[in-house]
Amino acid sequence: MNGLSLAYLGDAYYELAVRKYLLNQGITKIDQLHKQKVKFSSNAAQTKAMNHFLKEEILTEEEI
Protein backbone atom coordinates (compact mmCIF):
# COMPACT_ATOMS: atom_id res chain seq x y z
CA MET A 1 0.00 0.00 0.00
CA ASN A 2 1.13 3.53 -0.62
CA GLY A 3 1.50 6.13 2.12
CA LEU A 4 -1.91 7.71 1.63
CA SER A 5 -3.65 4.33 1.80
CA LEU A 6 -1.80 3.50 5.02
CA ALA A 7 -2.72 6.89 6.49
CA TYR A 8 -6.37 6.31 5.60
CA LEU A 9 -6.32 2.92 7.30
CA GLY A 10 -4.43 4.32 10.29
CA ASP A 11 -7.04 7.03 10.77
CA ALA A 12 -9.71 4.33 11.11
CA TYR A 13 -7.70 2.47 13.77
CA TYR A 14 -7.00 5.72 15.62
CA GLU A 15 -10.65 6.76 15.62
CA LEU A 16 -11.71 3.34 16.92
CA ALA A 17 -9.17 3.58 19.74
CA VAL A 18 -10.40 7.08 20.66
CA ARG A 19 -14.03 5.94 20.65
CA LYS A 20 -13.22 2.95 22.88
CA TYR A 21 -11.29 5.23 25.25
CA LEU A 22 -14.18 7.68 25.52
CA LEU A 23 -16.72 4.94 26.16
CA ASN A 24 -14.46 3.49 28.84
CA GLN A 25 -14.46 6.93 30.48
CA GLY A 26 -18.19 6.48 31.06
CA ILE A 27 -19.37 9.08 28.57
CA THR A 28 -22.75 7.95 27.26
CA LYS A 29 -24.31 10.98 25.60
CA ILE A 30 -23.75 10.92 21.85
CA ASP A 31 -23.25 14.69 21.63
CA GLN A 32 -20.54 14.59 24.31
CA LEU A 33 -18.89 11.57 22.68
CA HIS A 34 -18.76 13.37 19.34
CA LYS A 35 -17.35 16.59 20.78
CA GLN A 36 -14.65 14.73 22.70
CA LYS A 37 -13.79 12.56 19.69
CA VAL A 38 -13.30 15.66 17.56
CA LYS A 39 -10.90 17.07 20.18
CA PHE A 40 -8.77 13.91 19.98
CA SER A 41 -9.05 13.48 16.21
CA SER A 42 -8.38 17.04 15.04
CA ASN A 43 -5.23 17.76 13.06
CA ALA A 44 -4.00 19.95 15.92
CA ALA A 45 -4.48 17.17 18.48
CA GLN A 46 -2.75 14.59 16.29
CA THR A 47 0.14 16.98 15.65
CA LYS A 48 0.51 17.61 19.39
CA ALA A 49 0.54 13.87 20.09
CA MET A 50 3.09 13.17 17.35
CA ASN A 51 5.37 15.95 18.59
CA HIS A 52 5.20 14.45 22.08
CA PHE A 53 6.06 10.98 20.75
CA LEU A 54 9.01 12.35 18.81
CA LYS A 55 10.29 14.49 21.68
CA GLU A 56 10.08 11.61 24.15
CA GLU A 57 11.53 9.17 21.59
CA ILE A 58 8.61 6.79 22.06
CA LEU A 59 8.40 5.62 18.45
CA THR A 60 10.69 3.14 16.74
CA GLU A 61 12.50 4.07 13.52
CA GLU A 62 10.00 1.96 11.59
CA GLU A 63 7.05 3.78 13.18
CA ILE A 64 8.57 7.18 12.42
Side-chain angles (χ1 to χ4, degrees):
M1 282 189 238
N2 66 36
L4 288 176
S5 295
L6 289 172
Y8 177 76
L9 187 57
D11 285 347
Y13 278 100
Y14 181 74
E15 185 163 333
L16 181 59
V18 167
R19 287 177 182 223
K20 284 181 178 181
Y21 171 77
L22 294 173
L23 288 171
N24 286 332
Q25 297 301 304
I27 303 171
T28 58
K29 294 183 179 179
I30 298 299
D31 184 54
Q32 284 182 322
L33 286 166
H34 176 72
K35 287 177 182 176
Q36 290 299 313
K37 181 198 67 89
V38 169
K39 286 182 182 179
F40 280 99
S41 300
S42 71
N43 287 339
Q46 290 187 38
T47 298
K48 185 177 179 179
M50 181 57 78
N51 286 335
H52 171 75
F53 295 155
L54 293 171
K55 180 182 176 188
E56 298 298 321
E57 298 179 353
I58 294 171
L59 302 175
T60 66
E61 284 297 318
E62 183 179 21
E63 290 171 328
I64 292 171

